[in-house]
Amino acid sequence: MRTLSRLWPYVRPVRTRLFTAAFIAVLASCIGLVIPLVLKWMVDGPIADRDPAGVWLGALYLLLLGLAEALLFGFRRWLVARPLSHVEAEMRADLYRHLQRLPIAFHDRWASGQLLSRATTDLMLLRMFLAFPLTFLLVNGVTILVGVSIMLVQDWTLGLVILIPAVPVLITCVVFEKQYSRAARQAQDQVGDLTTVVEESVLGIRIIKGFGRHRSQARAFRELSGKLRGTELHKARLLATILGIIVTLPELAIGAALVLGAVQVADGELSAGTLVAFLSTALALRWPVDSIGFLLAMSQEAATATERYFEVMDAEPESGSTASPAKDGGPREGLRFENVTFRYPDAPEGSPPVLDRVDLHIRPGESLALVGATGSGKTTLTALVPRLHEVTEGRVTLDGRDIRDMSRDELRSRVAVAFEEPTLFSATVGENVLMGGGSGEEDLDRALAVAQADFAHALPQGTATQVGEQGLSLSGGQRQRLALARAVVGRPDFLVLDDPLSALDVHTEAAVEAALRRVLADTTALIVAHRPSTVLLADRVALLSGGRITAVGTHHELLRGNAEYAHLMSGDPAEELEEQR
Ligand SMILES: Nc1ncnc2c1ncn2[C@@H]1O[C@H](COP(=O)(O)OP(=O)(O)O)[C@@H](O)[C@H]1O
Ligand SMILES: [Mg+2]
């Protein structure tokens, strides 16, 4: 109940309709309970008196009552359908918005399938809960109360007989509740795991096929889905047990009441009409009682879904900033790392930091190449500039202002990035590039020219060509060039490029470099590089080693004066020795 109460803010806007619908359902249900009373009147009146006109009248009443009940239930459905799909859509939109705001550290930690299953299966469970169990637990509860009262009034001894199973049924419900809750949680988590496997294998289909791993992948999937099936069967067994008890015990009680009642009628202590009314009321209560089992089960699943939904919603979004307004015409100081230490949030206690007291200054308009062995922390360092990760200690400043004092919008409009892995979206080439800012054809053409991505104009629909999911319809080098175009399209003040040319052939690389050099002339740039040709683009080079900047200088200075740098640049041990000499 406490978990489910967290849904209230979403339900609040539709509360009037929901309450009205519940009230109408209670009304409809109670109309159903009047039918046995009409039957009693018919049996003890017109039927006993052999009065055909009276019987017809009774039949007419029954018809009208049935009609009213059906119409009211239909009206209820019409009332809730639209607002509840609205609630589901709102919750999904909120989840999506929140996911966009959560820090990269969160996404590093969470499997995408777990997020996906929350946005789909769990929200569907919630809508079903709001549409059905929420109302009907109330409606059936009221119906049972009214029905039992009617029965007690008709004949209280028979009424008590009918009530006997209530105690064991309640106990079963409580016990079952706990077990079912655990099973439901497990099943929903397993749906998340399964979603992750499906997603990974769809995205990684090239690797799976390339290595002939389809069998082992299918086996892994089968195992997981087998587990899920096991959990679902466990749930079904629990449900079967409760249903068995909930259905059988009242049925036995009705049987006992029938025998007792028949004896009383034979003895003349009870009118036949009363017995008929009593039994048809008992039968009318069968559905409300029987349904409680799976209404509770659905509520339990909804509680689990709510819990899973809020696990994500409760995660802290990227910390805001105390955005102090930019000082107009502030000094152009470039990009500065001051005493920056960084450790990944999920790194084990006491492990050495990835970046250890890094000091680095990139002057305004300067471009600095960052060189270092793989795993030395280059990508990590670049990710600190657009605040994809937060520094653990120290600070990063743009033109003298701490990046934590800027709003994210401002920061990200001044800094543009291109990563090693050029991610594109299922949109047109033009839309992908213009994601980086800029407006319209002119900027687009200029950026494509800088990135040597003119191939885009030769695509079937030019820059309006769809690139397909993740841009997989393009070659690696083509994707890299589009990502580079995206980085430069908005004419950012600061450009951060993480090895942006790695997939290009030497000729294309040279052409991109020539064009980039013009862009870089008035941009402050940090460029991760592996090849001498890329390094030569930059004014100076910094060497990252063991989490520290161990050398800064021009390419030639470092080549001459730093053995590690020479080794990284040449990859040739003989040459390295020569350089050292
Ligand atoms: N999301 C992450 N969580 C934890 N550790 C990470 C994460 N990303 C990278 N690392 C670790 O940080 C170190 C530096 O990685 P990275 O910056 O990608 O190196 P480079 O780009 O220089 O090859 C590596 O040891 C890597 O294992
Ligand atoms: Mg890297």
Side-chain angles (χ1 to χ4, degrees), residues 82-102:
R82 190 187 286 264
L84 287 185
S85 55
H86 179 72
V87 169
E88 186 189 4
E90 277 298 301
M91 290 185 74
R92 190 168 286 137
D94 264 11
L95 182 66
Y96 186 78
R97 200 166 25 226
H98 193 67
L99 282 177
Q100 308 288 306
R101 294 217 185 112
L102 285 169

Side-chain angles (χ1 to χ4, degrees), residues 31-32 89 96 143 175 182 228 238 350 492 531:
I31 285 181
Y96 186 78
T143 311
V175 172
R182 227 172 301 137
L228 176 59
L238 283 172
R531 293 189 264 182

Side-chain angles (χ1 to χ4, degrees), residues 104 108 344-347 354 372-381 389 420 498 528 530 544:
I104 301 290
D108 281 353
Y344 278 100
D346 53 352
V354 179
T374 44
S376 58
K378 303 182 296 296
T379 299
T380 309
L381 186 76
H389 291 292
E420 257 167 320
D498 187 359
V528 173
H530 284 120
L544 186 62

Side-chain angles (χ1 to χ4, degrees), residues 282-419:
L283 292 178
L285 289 188
R286 255 170 38 173
W287 145 249
V289 171
D290 292 357
S291 67
I292 280 186
F294 57 87
L295 289 181
L296 280 181
M298 282 171 82
S299 312
Q300 203 56 258
E301 281 172 345
T304 312
T306 312
E307 199 177 281
R308 281 168 44 94
Y309 178 80
F310 281 103
E311 275 169 9
V312 174
M313 292 303 282
D314 289 343
E316 276 297 310
E318 288 177 319
S319 57
S321 60
T322 49
S324 55
K327 284 165 265 159
D328 274 338
R332 290 238 300 151
E333 283 187 11
L335 169 60
R336 205 189 271 273
F337 292 80
E338 291 175 20
N339 206 19
V340 168
T341 296
F342 179 78
R343 188 180 271 118
Y344 278 100
D346 53 352
E349 285 287 321
S351 58
V354 179
L355 300 174
D356 187 10
R357 289 163 290 150
V358 166
D359 278 307
L360 194 60
H361 181 202
I362 305 155
R363 302 184 195 111
E366 183 187 39
S367 46
L368 182 104
L370 187 66
V371 174
T374 44
S376 58
K378 303 182 296 296
T379 299
T380 309
L381 186 76
T382 53
L384 294 180
V385 184
R387 277 181 83 187
L388 298 184
H389 291 292
E390 302 284 348
V391 295
T392 314
E393 272 167 55
R395 60 184 208 142
V396 179
T397 61
L398 294 186
D399 286 343
R401 277 176 75 210
D402 192 323
I403 53 173
R404 282 170 298 193
D405 292 340
M406 299 180 187
S407 70
R408 279 175 202 277
D409 280 349
E410 186 195 349
L411 174 63
R412 287 170 188 173
S413 70
R414 296 193 67 190
V415 176
V417 286
F419 297 110

